[in-house]
Amino acid sequence: MYIKFEKGLGASAVKRLTPVLRSHEAMPELSGILLETNPDGFSVTAIARNELFSAEIQFPALVLEPGSMVLNGSLLNKILELFGEDFVEMRTVGQENALLACGRTVYTLATRPAKKYPRPQFPQVETACQIAALPHLLRCCLFAVGHDPQHPAYSRVKIDAQGTTLTLAASNTFGLAVAGTQSDIISPIHILIPSESAQYLAYAFSDKENVHIGTAAGEAVFQVEGFRVCCILGRESYMDVPSLLRTFQPESVALVKPKDMSKGLSTLSSLSSANSPVQIQICQGYIAFDGKAMYANGKTQCPAQATTPMMKANYYLLSPLSKALARFGEGQLQLSVASNGMLRIQNNTMLFFLTPTQPIDLTVRAKTDKKGRKAAAWQGGM
């Protein structure tokens, strides 16, 4: 194999594949990128894979000698970044080495047999829908992904496309994040993708790209011209998100700016841990926050508009609420609470549900702390 290519194009292609790579003792090939020349003589296909998903990208190159090779992907990425010239030459030397040359700089890398590489089979799929700004929508949901082995569905991202609406959802034991957009949907899809795959999709594609999505035989393919990603789909049962959206009936409502609410919550975060609850109550013209910790209490509030006050306050976990607010960006939010205490924050493209929780029992903590101090004093007197 002998090829010449523009350094920027080759480096960009390899960098796009690098997050796919894994260090796996049983399958060392997963740390490599497969490079193959294409029959047209003017392009190369680069492939990387792991246990959950695989990616394939093409970039322009002058093929002087057709062939294939497998190189350590992370090392190849670093070398291409170090090269300063515009064009790179790459060729195999014997069966176990490859030379990379750029100007006066030459590197020799060990290769692996291309025939032993576990090449993924990308299924031929018909486009079910097209979506712009896919990375943005994924980032709106990924913060809410759970990692509970007892509930594997919580480690998935749900994608539903039907009618003219495409919806993404991620959930855990305390909250649900949903992001949606209008999309060109040809046929309905309802799929679960692993959170690791979703994180890669958010990295690999850009918000400007119009991503085509199709499914076949338990796999989903996300692709644009010259680049595609194939993901294994989850088979777990998932909550009926559309039903939840339809049945939520708010009793108290307020309009608030994310930065005002975040500022109020950040004041209380210094008093307690991220997993501590905070008391929230919608009042006339403002939202009240109350945080309690072992040695300190804190109260604050933020301005709100068009408020329908709550009859009583509820407790909610501080950490997921703060993370959700960080995803909403600028603009105005609608904060609403149902009769069962379920809290909902939403704007035009995203919403977040948070279940109520119980306050911390400070009397138990105080007794435990008192016993600890007594034990320390007793040991100190020995």
Side-chain angles (χ1 to χ4, degrees):
M1 178 177 175
Y2 186 11
I3 59 174
K4 292 183 179 181
F5 57 89
E6 187 178 337
K7 178 233 175 177
L9 296 176
S12 177
V14 171
K15 185 177 181 180
R16 212 169 185 178
L17 297 181
T18 302
V20 182
L21 305 174
R22 299 289 184 269
S23 296
H24 200 295
E25 293 183 1
M27 294 184 65
E29 294 85 0
L30 296 184
S31 64
I33 291 179
L34 172 64
L35 299 168
E36 291 183 327
T37 59
N38 294 325
D40 60 13
F42 295 99
S43 63
V44 169
T45 298
I47 300 173
R49 67 163 300 172
N50 57 44
E51 301 92 332
L52 295 175
F53 58 94
S54 53
E56 176 186 85
I57 190 169
Q58 296 183 6
F59 62 94
L62 176 61
V63 179
L64 300 175
E65 182 179 335
S68 59
M69 68 174 77
V70 177
L71 297 175
N72 182 284
S74 298
L75 189 56
L76 177 61
N77 181 53
K78 292 179 181 178
I79 291 175
L80 291 177
E81 288 181 346
L82 291 173
F83 282 151
E85 300 293 334
D86 292 335
F87 290 93
V88 177
E89 294 185 20
M90 184 184 299
R91 61 186 175 90
T92 54
V93 179
Q95 296 182 352
E96 297 181 351
N97 293 290
L99 289 180
L100 277 72
C102 185
R104 296 182 179 182
T105 306
V106 179
Y107 286 90
T108 302
L109 297 181
T111 63
R112 290 187 177 275
K115 292 182 179 180
K116 293 185 179 181
Y117 186 81
R119 183 189 179 100
Q121 298 299 318
F122 290 87
Q124 296 298 321
V125 299
E126 294 184 359
T127 299
C129 65
Q130 301 178 35
I131 176 173
L134 175 62
H136 169 71
L137 295 174
L138 286 169
R139 287 190 292 269
C140 287
C141 296
L142 278 168
F143 77 94
V145 168
H147 301 282
D148 186 353
Q150 301 298 322
H151 301 88
Y154 289 157
S155 64
R156 314 295 192 210
V157 174
K158 181 74 179 300
I159 300 179
D160 290 304
Q162 191 164 1
T164 59
T165 303
L166 185 140
T167 304
L168 285 75
S171 180
N172 48 39
T173 55
F174 50 79
L176 168 70
V178 182
T181 185
Q182 297 299 302
S183 178
D184 183 9
I185 299 173
I186 301 171
S187 59
I189 60 172
H190 305 281
I191 58 176
L192 286 175
I193 61 173
S195 58
E196 295 90 338
S197 303
Q199 289 170 355
Y200 177 69
L201 293 172
Y203 164 86
F205 291 101
S206 75
D207 287 330
K208 297 180 180 180
E209 291 178 311
N210 196 24
V211 181
H212 295 239
I213 306 176
T215 61
E219 296 179 315
V221 177
F222 301 78
Q223 57 188 341
V224 295
E225 186 176 357
F227 177 59
R228 57 180 175 173
V229 180
C230 182
C231 307
I232 297 175
L233 298 180
R235 300 181 181 275
E236 299 85 6
S237 59
Y238 205 81
M239 71 176 67
D240 188 351
V241 176
S243 295
L244 177 61
L245 301 183
R246 288 192 303 268
T247 57
F248 182 86
Q249 297 294 328
E251 287 194 346
S252 302
V253 181
L255 298 179
V256 62
K257 293 182 179 180
K259 63 179 181 180
D260 292 338
M261 191 169 177
S262 295
K263 185 177 180 180
L265 292 173
S266 64
T267 302
L268 300 180
S269 64
S270 60
L271 301 177
S272 57
S273 67
N275 292 324
S276 298
V278 59
Q279 189 182 61
I280 297 178
Q281 184 171 14
I282 299 176
C283 303
Q284 190 66 43
Y286 66 94
I287 301 175
F289 306 106
D290 188 354
K292 293 181 173 61
M294 176 63 71
Y295 303 109
N297 296 335
K299 293 184 178 182
T300 187
Q301 63 185 42
C302 73
Q305 299 176 351
T307 55
T308 304
M310 297 167 59
M311 298 299 294
K312 65 174 184 177
N314 293 319
Y315 285 90
Y316 303 93
L317 290 178
L318 178 59
S319 177
L321 185 56
S322 299
K323 290 179 180 178
L325 288 170
R327 300 310 189 279
F328 279 98
E330 300 295 330
Q332 202 170 48
L333 304 177
Q334 183 189 75
L335 174 69
S336 52
V337 180
S339 59
N340 61 359
M342 179 77 75
L343 180 145
R344 182 183 68 184
I345 310 173
Q346 69 177 104
N347 60 11
N348 292 332
T349 60
M350 176 184 171
L351 59 85
F352 178 67
F353 290 94
L354 187 62
T355 57
T357 187
Q358 297 296 320
I360 297 176
D361 190 346
L362 296 179
T363 59
V364 174
R365 285 194 172 187
K367 291 178 181 178
T368 303
D369 187 63
K370 186 176 181 180
K371 290 181 179 179
R373 290 198 302 269
K374 285 184 176 180
W378 174 260
Q379 292 177 357
M382 293 292 290

